[in-house]
Amino acid sequence: MKVAKVIVDVPTSQTNHTFDYIIPADYEEFAQKGMRVSVPFGPRKVMGFIVDITNDSDFDQLKPIDQMMDITPVLTEELIQVGIWLAEQTVSFYIQAFQAMLPQVLKAKYKKEIEALTDVELSPQIQQLLDGRAVMDFEEFEQRKGNYQALLKEIKAGHVKMNYKVQSKETKKRLVFIEPNVEPYLIEEALVDMKSNAKKQRAILEYFITHPEPIEQRLLMEKLNTTTSTVKSLIQKHLLRKKEQLVYRNPYDDDAIQPTSPLPLSTQQQQAIEPVNEAVDRENHHVFLLHGVTGSGKTEVYLQAIEKVLMKGQEAIVLVPEIALTPQMVHRFKGRFGSDVAALHSALSPGEKFDEWTKIHNNEVKVVVGARSAIFAPFENIGIIIIDEEHETSYKQDEQPRYHAREVAKKRAEFHQCPVILGSATPLLESYARAQRGVYQLLEMPERMNDVPMPPVELVDLRDELHAGNRTMFSRKLLDEIRDRIQRNEQIVLFLNRRGYSTFVMCRECGDVMKCPNCDIALTYHKSHHQLKCHYCDYHIAMVSECQACGSDTIRYFGTGTQKVEESLKEVLPEAGIIRMDVDTTRRKGAHEKLLDRFGQKKADILLGTQMIAKGLDFENVTLVGVLAVDAMLHIPDFRSAEKTFQLLTQVSGRAGRHQLPGKVIIQTYSPEHYSIQLASQYDYQSFFQQEMQTRKAFHYPPYYFLSLLTVSHPNQVKVMEVTKMIRKLLGKHLSDQATILGPTPSPIVRINNRYRYQCMIKYRHEPNQRMIIRKILQHYHEEIQQHDLRIQVDFEPYQLM
DNA sequence: CCAAATTTACTA
DNA sequence: AGTAAATTTGGT
């Protein structure tokens, strides 16, 4: 007898273990680890993953697997192990880890239906409700206000039964082709017999006489300007027939991509790639930190390292931050490796994601370029893993399982015995520190390609502007330079750092700030809909004209939004053409690219935007980059704020003067003396690293200490404080003396969606038992979590301290 | 004393 | 999570 060990799709701590099921004799041959199954679980059926197959079980009342949901495993044995490891590392449930590794559409969909077993003895009200049908969706039954008690009685009496169904959501895209169903001469005969008023039908038949090969129905209709019904009637006459073909949804126009060939490497690129190639050859799972300034040609190094891996018959994973994963980026890889590339990112529809995943699953591609979750690409012979812009926060998932793609990459690289490259112009402090200690191997590329120097950075002290009576958000210097570029027909990128800023609404009479009733945060004014919105829940109201507290009409907006900047820019520079890029103007699909295209075609002088324009922009005509105010980011209560500011400024500066024309960067700030701004303006990563390390050491922050963040939330503030206090006590009792526990402190946003939030932070260097202790604490509160709406969130090495 | 509401136990 | 069984509640 074969027994499958199954992780079921029920995310609770009581079911976070395998359940044994008999593999029915018919399935015994082909049931494998990593397949999805539907299994009976209590009175219903649920989806599950087979994680192991054994010959017997300690349990003696086994039920058989209901159904296999896959014909080939969706998880490799390696990925099953990675999933188990991931769940343990992040204190998540196994099922959550497995779900996170697969495309959305492979999640189960559950359906209940009622089936009448007899049509006589049913109670009148049920009979009437079923309307003579033998089966009905339970959802429909509820919609029709069916009596559940009466239904239960019928089920007990055995007249009706409830069917539980597990379905997979995946779909395949099919194209419908039309082709002749008979010999050509028969079509000609039919044409003769065809009534003369059937013009459209005639046209179609005539078409097939000259073009007997199959044609896509959509195309045929387009060509002959007809509709499906005409085609249908010809099919009914058996003259034509339908043929369906499975195709991949293709979000990229592959034909439009220009193939490229390897470029000659510069000396520094050569020096960087050599140790990587050696690691590929020797199958070493070394981690390389490629520290290369913007424009040093990191991508070419990646491309050629991958080429080597492909020649060995192995596969490559390339991770790119979500915002940098533009079509241009994908084109670069497709240009070099053609149809060997799959791309996975959030702009794809669920169906498109599934198709890209299927290509990997079917071994039809060798390279995957994608955002965070692409680290789980089901390759079986990985030769290299590359993480570009490794310092980016988007590599950390901010929901369960809270994993960091870098850690998964290292885990997989160890299994596959292959190198990992972490690439960045501004490596995360943790990474650079590891490189210095020799944990990672450091590869430096300090020079830009073609000797283009980094553009000079000028700091403008906004306090001086204020003293000089300039109350606008543009310094005189910046305006001069902008005018100069417009006159020379060159382009400008203006960057507004939104983080930390918001456009809140305040009454000037009584100082009342409009707040969200559910969350402890000010409402943000959105001009496009003339609404006040909460960024943490979906609360929104129409903009008010009077103060809610005192009734005065002296309501004013504070803060700086891109819309407001655009307006005042238009006032000072009426002649300038401006393209604004923010959440509002880029919401529609493809809008992002369209705006950038327009800017690239010089249809505007100024590109004004938020975070999203800091990455990957490369326009040869941009010679001036302005940062309007960087201070908000500096003052975010986060120990990484200096580092984030440094990264951002370096990133933004790299957008100017990338080609022939020399560039310039102007940074407006109220604190020009701050070291992260000073050192960023000098492009001095080394000094920044040294200085920031001292701060981190002094305040016991990473990389000197590890952090873990526990956030407790509940509708009742007293309850939250009590629980958090208790958790702190428990942690203090069980963790070692070296660990520091901070808290309970209210989270930066104390209330979200009517839930109060308090947190505890653990700073430690070595706590091997930490996860076990936290698991025990979670177990201790298990009951309250399940029944009393208590939530305890655990985040190891958090990126967001919110 | 019964039925409804709430809590608890369990899924192989 | 979702269900059935067990226990408490609360109204007569």
Side-chain angles (χ1 to χ4, degrees):
Chain A
M1 181 187 68
K2 290 265 185 188
V3 172
K5 297 205 171 282
V6 175
I7 294 288
V8 293
D9 179 19
V10 181
T12 62
S13 54
Q14 308 152 77
T15 53
N16 192 33
H17 57 83
T18 57
F19 287 80
D20 293 357
Y21 288 91
I22 295 170
I23 301 175
D26 326 357
Y27 296 149
E28 236 179 61
E29 282 291 297
F30 88 109
Q32 288 177 57
K33 293 182 203 176
M35 285 180 173
R36 293 172 305 153
V37 287
S38 145
V39 290
F41 199 66
R44 66 208 166 109
K45 292 194 178 68
V46 297
M47 193 268 281
F49 289 94
I50 302 182
V51 293
D52 204 0
I53 294 177
T54 56
N55 289 318
D56 56 80
S57 168
D58 299 336
F59 199 81
D60 54 2
Q61 288 154 9
L62 297 184
K63 289 185 187 173
I65 287 173
D66 169 57
Q67 250 186 329
M68 305 297 297
M69 293 174 70
D70 295 306
I71 36 176
T72 56
V74 291
L75 294 171
T76 61
E77 293 207 20
E78 181 225 348
L79 284 176
I80 294 174
Q81 292 313 312
V82 170
I84 292 169
W85 168 83
L86 189 67
E88 282 162 6
Q89 282 298 302
T90 58
V91 193
S92 306
F93 304 124
Y94 296 114
I95 190 69
Q96 290 176 318
F98 291 140
Q99 307 267 36
M101 304 183 9
L102 293 170
Q104 279 290 312
V105 290
L106 292 182
K107 269 195 186 171
K109 203 167 67 179
Y110 296 103
K111 251 175 96 176
K112 276 196 283 185
E113 61 183 30
I114 304 160
E115 184 179 354
L117 299 172
T118 160
D119 45 21
V120 277
E121 298 154 78
L122 291 180
S123 77
Q125 52 170 327
I126 297 287
Q127 185 133 36
Q128 195 205 340
L129 218 57
L130 285 179
D131 212 7
R133 278 187 284 168
V135 286
M136 175 181 275
D137 271 5
F138 185 71
E139 229 173 84
E140 193 183 343
F141 177 84
E142 279 182 316
Q143 267 167 22
R144 294 186 176 204
K145 303 271 184 295
N147 184 330
Y148 189 63
Q149 298 299 324
L151 185 70
L152 279 181
K153 256 182 209 157
E154 293 291 350
I155 290 172
K156 267 199 182 138
H159 301 148
V160 172
K161 81 172 189 195
M162 192 81 102
N163 294 328
Y164 296 88
K165 289 192 163 181
V166 184
Q167 285 166 349
S168 190
K169 285 191 278 192
E170 80 238 45
T171 57
K172 298 247 160 56
K173 185 174 175 181
R174 289 161 210 279
L175 288 185
V176 180
F177 282 79
I178 306 293
E179 61 182 355
N181 190 32
V182 293
E183 296 296 313
Y185 75 93
L186 284 172
I187 293 203
E188 288 194 42
E189 262 177 33
L191 203 51
V192 176
D193 296 341
M194 185 84 36
K195 289 201 179 111
S196 58
N197 62 355
K199 279 189 196 152
K200 296 281 183 185
Q201 293 195 24
R202 296 184 75 101
I204 293 173
L205 290 182
E206 275 161 12
Y207 172 87
F208 276 108
I209 289 170
T210 46
H211 308 83
E213 64 279 0
I215 178 172
E216 199 191 323
Q217 176 169 282
R218 194 178 51 85
L219 227 68
L220 178 72
M221 281 159 27
E222 222 167 75
K223 262 192 181 156
L224 303 178
N225 191 26
T226 81
T227 59
T228 18
S229 57
T230 327
V231 179
K232 219 180 204 167
S233 52
L234 285 168
I235 292 171
Q236 268 164 9
K237 288 175 188 163
H238 301 289
L239 292 168
L240 301 179
R241 65 168 173 243
K242 250 189 200 178
K243 200 172 84 176
E244 283 194 343
Q245 197 186 330
L246 289 179
V247 292
Y248 287 129
R249 304 164 180 92
N250 190 355
Y252 298 98
D253 184 3
D254 286 356
D255 298 337
I257 297 172
Q258 291 289 322
T260 65
S261 33
L263 305 171
L265 295 180
S266 68
T267 328
Q268 66 169 5
Q269 283 175 320
Q270 196 61 48
Q271 281 169 358
I273 203 171
E274 251 162 39
V276 176
N277 282 342
E278 207 179 298
V280 170
D281 274 336
R282 294 198 183 160
E283 314 208 331
N284 272 339
H285 68 277
H286 273 174
V287 181
F288 295 95
L289 177 62
L290 177 56
H291 177 214
V293 298
T294 23
S296 59
K298 289 192 287 287
T299 312
E300 190 59 34
V301 173
Y302 301 155
L303 288 170
Q304 296 197 19
I306 294 170
E307 193 169 350
K308 173 143 182 112
V309 164
L310 297 192
M311 294 226 289
K312 278 186 76 196
Q314 295 181 303
E315 296 121 5
I317 298 178
V318 184
L319 297 191
V320 173
E322 193 67 72
I323 18 170
L325 195 54
T326 54
Q328 291 96 302
M329 188 73 191
V330 177
H331 283 191
R332 276 191 90 169
F333 285 86
K334 288 205 172 191
R336 191 67 58 86
F337 306 115
S339 56
D340 276 345
V341 179
L344 280 169
H345 63 92
S346 68
L348 302 181
S349 73
E352 287 168 343
K353 273 187 203 159
F354 174 63
D355 282 1
E356 293 295 301
W357 179 87
T358 306
K359 287 184 201 166
I360 307 167
H361 187 226
N362 293 346
N363 286 317
E364 290 169 347
V365 294
K366 297 279 170 210
V367 180
V368 57
V369 182
R372 181 181 57 237
S373 64
I375 194 59
F376 300 117
F379 282 137
E380 289 180 87
N381 189 13
I382 300 173
I384 197 166
I385 302 177
I386 294 167
I387 304 185
D388 192 28
E389 310 277 354
E390 66 90 35
H391 62 275
E392 275 294 317
T393 52
S394 68
Y395 289 125
K396 175 84 190 250
Q397 174 148 306
D398 54 13
E399 54 191 63
Q400 290 275 49
R402 294 170 201 279
Y403 68 91
H404 196 296
R406 188 202 308 117
E407 302 311 308
V408 180
K410 287 192 230 164
K411 181 80 183 168
R412 293 199 75 182
E414 195 187 328
F415 179 90
H416 290 275
Q417 292 294 303
C418 75
V420 177
I421 305 183
L422 308 175
S424 176
T426 50
L428 198 68
L429 243 63
E430 285 92 320
S431 299
Y432 204 75
R434 277 181 194 152
Q436 297 226 311
R437 281 179 32 224
V439 181
Y440 296 164
Q441 189 172 338
L442 185 62
L443 307 171
E444 294 269 10
M445 297 211 297
E447 309 289 327
R448 289 186 115 187
M449 296 287 285
N450 315 323
D451 294 325
V452 187
M454 288 301 279
V457 179
E458 192 169 328
L459 300 179
V460 174
D461 192 333
L462 284 175
R463 291 168 302 192
D464 293 346
E465 292 297 312
L466 209 60
H467 293 150
N470 178 5
R471 299 185 142 266
T472 72
M473 50 196 111
F474 314 106
S475 62
R476 293 157 295 176
K477 179 74 192 162
L478 182 61
L479 278 180
D480 282 350
E481 296 274 354
I482 292 177
R483 289 205 183 93
D484 174 67
R485 299 309 132 114
I486 293 177
Q487 205 203 341
R488 291 210 306 240
N489 240 329
E490 294 170 2
Q491 290 174 294
I492 303 130
V493 171
L494 285 185
F495 180 83
L496 177 71
N497 171 34
R498 282 291 316 260
R499 280 206 55 185
Y501 270 125
S502 63
T503 46
F504 62 97
V505 171
M506 188 171 102
C507 169
R508 291 177 33 150
E509 198 70 45
C510 67
D512 184 63
V513 174
M514 290 282 291
K515 281 187 154 188
C516 175
N518 309 318
C519 311
D520 184 51
I521 198 134
L523 292 172
T524 306
Y525 176 59
H526 284 244
K527 192 170 185 184
S528 47
H529 296 89
H530 202 59
Q531 272 181 337
L532 292 170
K533 291 184 187 172
C534 172
H535 282 184
Y536 288 88
C537 67
D538 51 9
Y539 181 83
H540 56 93
I541 49 163
M543 178 59 195
V544 293
S545 54
E546 281 150 21
C547 173
Q548 306 292 290
C550 72
S552 111
D553 59 357
T554 55
I555 290 236
R556 235 203 84 174
Y557 315 114
F558 286 83
T560 324
T562 40
Q563 296 177 0
K564 205 170 148 193
V565 176
E566 188 186 15
E567 278 168 29
S568 32
L569 201 54
K570 273 182 181 155
E571 264 172 46
V572 246
L573 295 165
E575 73 277 16
I578 304 167
I579 291 179
R580 174 166 60 92
M581 271 181 76
D582 57 23
V583 201
D584 284 333
T585 59
T586 56
R587 192 170 294 121
R588 276 183 304 114
K589 204 178 174 181
H592 195 262
E593 282 76 48
K594 222 179 240 169
L595 291 175
L596 289 182
D597 274 352
R598 266 183 58 207
F599 189 65
Q601 292 160 17
K602 304 186 187 176
K603 299 239 170 86
D605 305 298
I606 301 174
L607 179 66
L608 166 67
T610 51
Q611 251 81 333
M612 60 174 74
I613 63 171
K615 297 257 149 45
L617 283 192
D618 189 357
F619 296 110
E620 54 178 358
N621 200 38
V622 172
T623 57
L624 178 65
V625 168
V627 181
L628 292 176
V630 75
D631 303 77
M633 182 170 253
L634 214 48
H635 300 126
I636 291 174
D638 180 330
F639 70 92
R640 277 189 240 267
S641 64
E643 186 180 8
K644 284 189 176 153
T645 307
F646 184 88
Q647 287 167 358
L648 185 80
L649 290 180
T650 308
Q651 201 76 251
V652 172
S653 304
R655 302 306 117 210
R658 292 171 70 94
H659 299 267
Q660 269 76 33
L661 298 168
K664 180 166 191 176
V665 179
I666 293 185
I667 297 172
Q668 303 190 136
T669 174
Y670 288 96
S671 28
E673 66 287 343
H674 193 282
Y675 66 97
S676 69
I677 294 177
Q678 280 290 332
L679 294 171
S681 75
Q682 293 154 26
Y683 300 104
D684 191 350
Y685 179 82
Q686 292 292 337
S687 304
F688 176 76
F689 174 77
Q690 301 296 350
Q691 178 136 13
E692 184 67 9
M693 283 294 272
Q694 282 175 21
T695 317
R696 302 288 178 90
K697 191 175 187 177
F699 291 96
H700 288 201
Y701 274 119
Y704 292 96
Y705 285 79
F706 293 106
L707 301 182
S708 307
L709 185 71
L710 284 97
T711 307
V712 181
S713 75
H714 189 270
N716 182 337
Q717 188 164 16
V718 181
K719 175 89 199 164
V720 181
M721 279 160 49
E722 258 170 31
V723 173
T724 318
K725 227 175 177 173
M726 188 63 198
I727 286 178
R728 191 221 150 100
K729 218 170 138 190
L730 289 169
L731 287 171
K733 200 162 134 195
H734 296 286
L735 289 172
S736 77
D737 303 343
Q738 277 103 58
T740 322
I741 307 156
L742 303 176
T745 44
S747 294
I749 301 159
V750 201
R751 191 174 52 124
I752 293 181
N753 247 325
N754 285 320
R755 302 178 64 86
Y756 287 89
R757 308 161 72 246
Y758 275 67
Q759 58 190 29
C760 263
M761 189 183 279
I762 311 169
K763 288 180 175 176
Y764 67 98
R765 300 193 81 145
H766 187 65
E767 290 297 330
N769 294 327
Q770 175 188 208
R771 286 178 168 77
M772 193 196 75
I773 294 163
I774 292 176
R775 231 175 237 288
K776 282 218 170 114
I777 292 176
L778 290 177
Q779 241 161 53
H780 178 256
Y781 283 104
H782 166 254
E783 210 168 283
E784 291 196 70
I785 289 169
Q786 279 214 306
Q787 278 137 41
H788 302 287
D789 208 13
L790 180 73
R791 262 175 245 170
I792 303 174
Q793 222 174 61
V794 191
D795 195 350
F796 298 101
E797 293 172 63
Y799 266 35
Q800 285 282 97
L801 299 184
M802 305 286 208

